[in-house]
Amino acid sequence: MTRFHSLLLVAGLASLPSPAAAQASDQATGPAVGVELFASTDSDHTDVVKLLGRGAILDAGPDRYFGVAIEQAWFSPLGQKTRKDQRVYADLAGKAGKDWLWKARLGTDGKTWLGSANLRSKDWSKEVFLEREIIETPRGVDEGLYYTFLGASFDVPVAKDTLTFTGAVQAFTGRNERLHARASYVHVIKADIGLSAQLRTRFFHSTAPGEYDYYSPKNFFQLLPVVQMRRFTTSGWMLLGAVGYGAQRATGGGWASARLAEVRVESPRGRHAFRAFAQAQYSNNSISGSGNYDYVMARIGLTKSLN
């Protein structure tokens, strides 16, 4: 772990309120257990499976809990043999004042620190986020190559529409640092059914393109129109569906199609005896540089209160 990464982790943890303080105002708390499964595959025959078990000493819903998580990961890059990795995390979430929420799943695989954390406003209009993970390529899993992703986003209301801006830095093992800029314009078509039209743009610049064996062109740009519907049932379940089709281009290549499809389901928020989520997503953002690329990802999670 570099001195920069150590300082970043210490600063991030120091900025989080203590679990005791976060739970002090919650009347109904208790232990809970949960499981999460992540699986992905792509047209380059790279398969990833992560199975995570979590236990909370105190749980007051999806935004307030205090516990630990243990993860087993299987990486099969480019159709090669499967590599295994074990991780352990502190699994925490709570409040930061009246208007902010924070969440952190930070830990280690025994070699370096891993995980994610974010601090956001309750209305999701502002967010600071952090993520660190291994690179899912043969050299990445064999040589221990990682990335650290740090950024922030904020919304700007435009009449009845919304502009969202995101800026981030992604530092990889080695010399490469990727500078990200994203912007999305969201226009509500029909509010009562949660239907919106969106224009998502994405740009990144790599300072050391082509380093190691992960896809890293010097510049990448994507323009993606998206139609999304997000609804809540009478019992509070959230249902989301989105489809997008646009264009993307990387240094050294011509324009190509950009595609996205996503579905997501979440149980009602708040403290409940049982909580669940499920998500599936398709995209064609290449991580290897191949021309005809497809990526499919699925996640599912269940949490059960022991009270």
Side-chain angles (χ1 to χ4, degrees):
M1 187 185 305
T2 67
R3 184 171 180 270
F4 168 77
H5 290 147
S6 300
L7 291 173
L8 184 59
L9 177 59
V10 170
L13 291 175
S15 67
L16 299 177
S18 69
Q23 301 293 342
S25 62
D26 298 323
Q27 297 300 316
T29 61
V33 295
V35 62
E36 296 179 14
L37 176 65
F38 171 96
S40 69
T41 187
D42 68 12
S43 53
D44 290 336
H45 308 293
T46 292
D47 300 322
V48 177
V49 177
K50 298 177 183 178
L51 180 62
L52 181 140
R54 54 189 301 266
I57 300 171
L58 297 174
D59 184 289
D63 296 323
R64 292 180 293 279
Y65 52 81
F66 171 44
V68 297
I70 298 174
E71 182 179 63
Q72 174 70 54
W74 295 266
F75 300 100
S76 304
L78 302 182
Q80 299 179 9
K81 67 177 183 179
T82 299
R83 287 80 154 173
K84 299 179 181 180
D85 196 22
Q86 297 80 36
R87 295 93 176 273
V88 60
Y89 304 97
D91 197 29
L92 316 169
K95 298 178 181 178
K98 296 188 302 179
D99 302 321
W100 293 81
L101 299 170
W102 60 270
K103 186 174 293 186
R105 180 175 287 169
L106 297 172
T108 181
D109 60 355
K111 308 176 190 71
T112 185
W113 68 275
L114 296 170
S116 61
N118 69 62
L119 173 68
R120 67 170 179 88
S121 59
K122 288 184 177 180
D123 63 0
W124 286 99
S125 63
K126 294 176 285 293
E127 182 183 15
V128 179
F129 53 87
L130 168 70
E131 181 182 7
R132 182 167 168 84
E133 182 54 280
I134 200 166
I135 299 172
E136 299 165 358
T137 63
R139 293 191 66 181
V141 294
D142 288 341
E143 299 177 28
L145 308 180
Y146 300 85
Y147 69 83
T148 304
F149 194 58
L150 177 64
S153 66
F154 62 93
D155 292 348
V156 178
V158 180
K160 296 182 179 180
D161 300 335
T162 303
L163 268 170
T164 300
F165 297 97
T166 301
V169 177
Q170 188 175 17
F172 293 85
T173 300
R175 298 178 298 110
N176 192 26
E177 292 186 354
R178 186 174 290 174
L179 309 177
H180 292 259
R182 301 180 187 181
S184 298
Y185 186 85
V186 180
H187 172 69
V188 177
I189 299 174
K190 196 169 179 58
D192 58 343
I193 61 172
L195 182 64
S196 66
Q198 306 176 12
L199 182 61
R200 305 180 185 179
T201 62
R202 175 187 175 200
F203 170 81
F204 70 71
H205 169 76
S206 295
T207 59
E211 188 178 37
Y212 292 112
D213 60 342
Y214 60 90
Y215 180 55
S216 187
K218 183 176 182 179
N219 296 304
F220 175 88
F221 177 74
Q222 182 185 81
L223 186 68
L224 187 65
V226 175
V227 176
Q228 177 177 291
M229 181 177 289
R230 182 172 180 263
R231 300 195 64 181
F232 288 88
T233 68
T234 55
S235 58
W237 284 78
M238 190 279 291
L239 310 175
L240 181 146
V243 293
Y245 189 87
Q248 57 191 13
R249 184 174 185 175
T251 300
W255 287 98
S257 65
R259 304 181 296 273
L260 172 73
E262 180 181 10
V263 292
R264 190 163 73 240
V265 179
E266 293 181 8
S267 61
R269 299 190 69 80
R271 178 162 170 77
H272 299 278
F274 175 83
R275 301 195 304 272
F277 72 86
Q279 178 187 14
Q281 185 182 86
Y282 163 83
S283 69
N284 68 328
N285 292 329
S286 179
I287 61 172
S288 66
S290 61
N292 298 315
Y293 182 79
D294 297 295
Y295 173 85
V296 179
M297 176 275 290
R299 297 171 59 231
I300 186 169
L302 306 172
T303 298
K304 176 69 172 66
S305 172
L306 298 182
N307 272 1

